[in-house]
Amino acid sequence: MGHVYIEVEFQGLTATRAFKTLVDTGATYTVIPLDLAKELGVVETPYIENVVLANRQTVEARVAMTRVRILDRAFTVRVLVMDAAEPLIGVDTLETLGLKVDPVTGAVEPSRGFVARI
């Protein structure tokens, strides 16, 4: 299948930016680089968590909230803000938006009708 990229709009308190973003179905959480988080004005929480990367390295990441739009679906989601080369979309955000990656085509598509679920 290869790498999957999709147009994603990130909206914080001070700015909105849209660009091609890696969808990582092996990642639980969405990651936003430090500089992008500052530019957007994401809503930071007081929490810093230890997270394990794909290479098994443990790093600290700040927990924040930002609005994400993919396709015609948007919702405020939890993100990890950390030293990263680029943002990536994790499964938590895909599930929140009712989206999935088709393993044959690599397309991001709806997995269900979209409504915020508790």
Side-chain angles (χ1 to χ4, degrees), residues 79-95:
V79 296
L80 299 180
V81 177
M82 56 190 289
D83 185 20
E86 62 181 353
L88 66 84
I89 298 296
V91 174
D92 185 50
T93 298
L94 291 177
E95 290 179 354

Side-chain angles (χ1 to χ4, degrees), residues 66-108:
T66 194
R67 187 168 179 82
V68 173
R69 177 180 300 281
I70 301 174
L71 303 175
D72 62 345
R73 299 170 178 214
F75 202 76
T76 303
V77 299
R78 171 181 43 203
V79 296
L80 299 180
V81 177
M82 56 190 289
D83 185 20
E86 62 181 353
L88 66 84
I89 298 296
V91 174
D92 185 50
T93 298
L94 291 177
E95 290 179 354
T96 297
L97 295 176
L99 298 170
K100 66 178 181 176
V101 176
D102 182 314
V104 175
T105 65
V108 175

Side-chain angles (χ1 to χ4, degrees), residues 1 3 9 12-13 17 20 22 29 35-36 55 65-66 74 80 82 84-85 92-93 96-97 99 101 108:
M1 177 172 69
H3 292 116
E9 181 181 277
L13 295 175
R17 275 197 61 201
K20 292 278 187 195
L22 177 66
Y29 299 107
D35 57 342
L36 179 58
N55 66 3
M65 302 294 288
T66 194
L80 299 180
M82 56 190 289
D92 185 50
T93 298
T96 297
L97 295 176
L99 298 170
V101 176
V108 175

Side-chain angles (χ1 to χ4, degrees), residues 19-78:
F19 44 117
K20 292 278 187 195
T21 305
L22 177 66
V23 177
D24 186 348
T25 59
T28 303
Y29 299 107
T30 293
V31 172
I32 295 182
L34 297 166
D35 57 342
L36 179 58
K38 288 179 185 174
E39 177 186 335
L40 295 174
V42 300
V43 178
E44 291 189 4
T45 72
Y47 304 109
I48 296 176
E49 302 291 348
N50 289 318
V51 295
V52 179
L53 304 178
N55 66 3
R56 301 193 198 295
Q57 178 185 7
T58 301
V59 298
E60 288 186 343
R62 178 164 299 282
V63 179
M65 302 294 288
T66 194
R67 187 168 179 82
V68 173
R69 177 180 300 281
I70 301 174
L71 303 175
D72 62 345
R73 299 170 178 214
F75 202 76
T76 303
V77 299
R78 171 181 43 203

